Amino acid sequence: LDNFRQWIRAKKIKEDLGLTEQDIWDETFDLTVDSMPVLKKLTEEYEATKPFEGKTMLVNTHLKENTAVLCYALKSGGADLVIVPVPYSGDEVVYDVLVENDYKIYGKARMSYDEMEDAIDESLSEAEAEIILEDGLWITRHIIEQNLNSAGIIGSVEQTKAGVNLAFELSEKLKYPVITVGNAELKELAESSLATPEAVVKMIIQAANWSLAGKILTIVGYGPVGSGIAKIARSHSARVYIVEKDIMRVLKAILDGFDVRELSTAIRISDILVTATGRKNVVSVDELKIAKDGILLVNAGSKDYEIDVKGLRALAETEKITSREGLKKYFIKGEEGEGKMLVVAADGFPINLALGEGTPSDAIDITLSLMAEAARYLVEHKIPTGIHDLPREIQEKTAQMKLESLRYSL
C-alpha cells in the first residue's frame, strides 16, 4: 500500500499501472469502504437509480478517506461533483486519488481560510451548483456575505452542530432551504456521543503522549460530544470537571456523577481543558491568564474559534513549537505578572480532525449516509427556504440499514 500511495503522489496511476477508478478505490480505500456498509449499500442503490443525474453538487468537506467514499457515492448517483476542501485538515493521498480520477477540486488539502474563500469564490463562479453539502456552513455564509446569485441552488445540507448554530444566526438571510444533519437524533446517537469522543480522547493521549490517569480534565460543554468525552476520560481514571451554563445539562452532568464548576475555578487547577460547544471564544484571554501553568488546551468542536488562540498569540511573549507534532507552547504573564506556559493542540482546530483521521469510518458511515440521503431528499422534494430538520424517515432507513449490517434483526 505504501508503494501504491507513492505511485499516486507521482501521478502515474493511469499510464503506468493501468488502473480503473474502481481499482483505485478497491486498492486505496478497501478497509475504509468495508467499514462503511451503509454508504456502500447506498452507492449500489445510486448506481442503479441515478438520483443525482444532471445535478451539480458542491461538496465542502474534510478530505479524508471516508469523505472520499461519500464523493464516490454521489458521483455514482450521476452527480456532477465539485469539491472544496475544508481548511486545516485533509489527506494528500485522498486529494491525489480524487484529482487523478477527474474529480473537480478547487483549492488543496490543508489550505488556509483565505485560500478556501478564494476556492469557494472560484467554484461558485465556474460551476452552477444546485445542491450544497457542507461542513460548517462555509458555502452558504459566503453566498450571503458576498450577496451572490443563488437562484439555481435547490438547497444545502449541513453536517455539523456549529454549522447548524450559524444557520440559525443567519436564518433571516437564507436564500434556500438548509437541512440540518448536524442536530439529527441519529447523528448525535451514533457519532457525536460515542465515536467522536473516542477519537478526541485517543488524539489527546497520542498527541501529548500522556496517560489520563490522575489528571484533572475539564470539559467545557456537556452536549453529546462533551458528555461522551467526560465518560471516556473518567474510564481512563481522569478526574473530570464539567463547565456548563444550560441548566438542563448541568443537571444531567450532576446525575451522571460529574462535578460541575465555573470555568474561572476549573481552569486554575486543570491539567487538560477541552472545549466542545460549537460556540465562539468560550475560553477567552481573561480565562487563559488564570489557567494552570502547563495546561494542555484542546478543542473538540468543529471550528477553531472556541479557544481564543488569536488573543493568546497577541498576549504571549514567546511562542514555541514542541517535540510533539501539533502542540505549541505559549509563554505568557499571568494575572499577577507571574510567568506561565500554556500548551495548545492543533492551533485550536478540532484535534481529531487536525491531528488525526477524524471520526472513525464505521461511525461516520451513518452521518455521511444521512448527508447523501438528505441531498436526494432535496432533489426529490420541493421545500421552502429556511431551516429544516432531517426527515425522520431518512434516519429510520439509515438506522435499519446499519442494523442489517450488524446482522441484528428485531
Side-chain angles (χ1 to χ4, degrees):
L1 186 57
D2 287 341
N3 287 337
F4 187 82
R5 290 187 170 207
Q6 289 171 15
W7 279 106
I8 293 171
R9 288 196 175 97
K11 297 189 180 297
K12 293 183 177 179
I13 294 175
K14 289 180 179 175
E15 58 268 33
D16 289 0
L17 298 183
L19 298 178
T20 67
E21 182 176 345
Q22 187 63 54
D23 292 332
I24 292 170
W25 248 262
D26 290 343
E27 292 292 334
T28 312
F29 304 139
D30 55 349
L31 289 178
T32 300
V33 172
D34 290 343
S35 67
M36 302 178 73
V38 179
L39 197 52
K40 186 176 183 180
K41 187 75 177 289
L42 286 175
T43 301
E44 296 171 358
E45 187 178 317
Y46 294 164
E47 284 177 333
T49 61
K50 301 295 181 185
F52 308 121
E53 191 74 61
K55 293 289 185 278
T56 299
M57 303 181 74
L58 175 54
V59 180
N60 181 220
T61 188
H62 301 273
L63 285 185
K64 305 287 187 180
E65 290 187 11
N66 43 43
T67 54
V69 178
L70 170 64
C71 292
Y72 182 74
L74 298 174
K75 189 176 180 183
S76 297
D80 180 10
L81 211 61
V82 177
I83 302 168
V84 176
V86 170
Y88 73 79
S89 78
D91 186 329
E92 292 179 358
V93 171
V94 172
Y95 177 90
D96 286 343
V97 170
L98 292 171
V99 169
E100 192 66 32
N101 284 276
D102 301 322
Y103 286 76
K104 181 64 175 177
I105 303 180
Y106 291 85
K108 59 187 179 182
R110 296 187 173 273
M111 59 184 166
S112 68
Y113 281 124
D114 288 342
E115 289 172 326
M116 183 189 67
E117 292 293 335
D118 291 342
I120 291 173
D121 228 16
E122 187 179 1
S123 68
L124 290 171
S125 66
E126 293 185 5
E128 296 182 359
E130 296 165 274
I131 302 289
I132 301 169
L133 275 69
E134 46 193 333
D135 187 311
L137 214 74
W138 295 108
I139 307 294
T140 295
R141 186 178 72 171
H142 186 91
I143 289 171
I144 291 172
E145 290 179 348
Q146 302 299 319
N147 195 27
L148 301 179
N149 180 22
S150 59
I153 298 176
I154 297 171
S156 168
V157 184
E158 171 52 43
Q159 181 177 338
T160 69
K161 189 70 172 179
V164 172
N165 292 340
L166 182 56
F168 279 103
E169 291 177 19
L170 299 173
S171 59
E172 298 299 319
K173 300 178 180 179
L174 292 175
K175 301 181 178 184
Y176 42 76
V178 176
I179 295 180
T180 56
V181 170
N183 61 358
E185 179 183 358
L186 183 56
K187 178 185 185 292
E188 290 191 352
L189 181 154
E191 180 192 342
S192 302
S193 63
L194 295 172
T196 296
E198 285 180 331
V200 169
V201 173
K202 178 190 76 171
M203 286 313 306
I204 292 172
I205 294 170
Q206 182 176 320
N209 196 24
W210 285 358
S211 167
L212 298 186
K215 298 284 193 307
I216 295 178
L217 188 149
T218 291
I219 300 159
V220 184
Y222 201 70
V225 174
S227 60
I229 294 170
K231 292 167 185 175
I232 295 172
R234 181 167 60 186
S235 74
H236 283 259
S237 300
R239 293 175 285 168
V240 179
Y241 296 142
I242 304 300
V243 174
E244 178 58 76
K245 293 184 177 181
D246 183 280
I247 194 68
M248 302 291 282
R249 289 179 174 179
V250 169
L251 177 59
K252 184 177 188 302
I254 291 172
L255 294 178
D256 286 342
F258 293 104
D259 188 351
V260 180
R261 301 198 177 191
E262 293 291 335
L263 178 57
S264 59
T265 301
I267 200 169
R268 295 175 186 270
I269 59 175
S270 297
D271 301 299
I272 304 169
L273 183 138
V274 183
T275 57
T277 69
R279 303 288 182 183
K280 291 182 179 180
N281 292 341
V282 292
V283 180
S284 69
V285 168
D286 288 339
E287 278 95 24
L288 294 172
K289 287 179 181 178
I290 62 173
K292 180 181 178 181
D293 183 29
I295 190 173
L296 174 61
L297 299 164
V298 176
N299 176 32
S302 63
K303 292 187 178 179
D304 67 333
Y305 50 44
E306 299 200 22
I307 301 167
D308 188 2
V309 177
K310 291 182 180 178
L312 177 59
R313 288 195 181 108
L315 178 68
E317 296 179 333
T318 310
E319 174 184 342
K320 291 184 178 180
I321 62 171
T322 72
S323 59
R324 305 297 303 175
E325 182 179 358
L327 301 188
K328 289 183 181 177
K329 292 179 179 179
Y330 293 86
F331 296 87
I332 67 171
K333 293 291 186 183
E335 59 178 345
E336 297 179 0
E338 77 282 13
K340 62 175 63 179
M341 181 265 292
L342 312 182
V343 181
V344 176
D347 291 323
F349 289 100
I351 189 171
N352 60 315
L353 286 162
L355 302 185
E357 294 189 72
T359 300
S361 294
D362 57 341
I364 207 166
D365 177 35
I366 291 175
T367 299
L368 298 183
S369 296
L370 294 176
M371 294 288 288
E373 286 291 271
R376 174 153 70 170
Y377 188 87
L378 283 172
V379 171
E380 296 176 349
H381 298 79
K382 185 174 178 58
I383 59 177
T385 296
I387 300 170
H388 300 265
D389 290 337
L390 182 68
R392 181 76 182 182
E393 60 266 27
I394 291 177
Q395 298 186 63
E396 291 180 350
K397 173 187 175 180
T398 306
Q400 180 61 41
M401 293 174 72
K402 187 64 175 181
L403 285 171
E404 290 172 359
S405 75
L406 296 172
R407 295 179 175 82
Y408 189 93
S409 60
L410 296 175

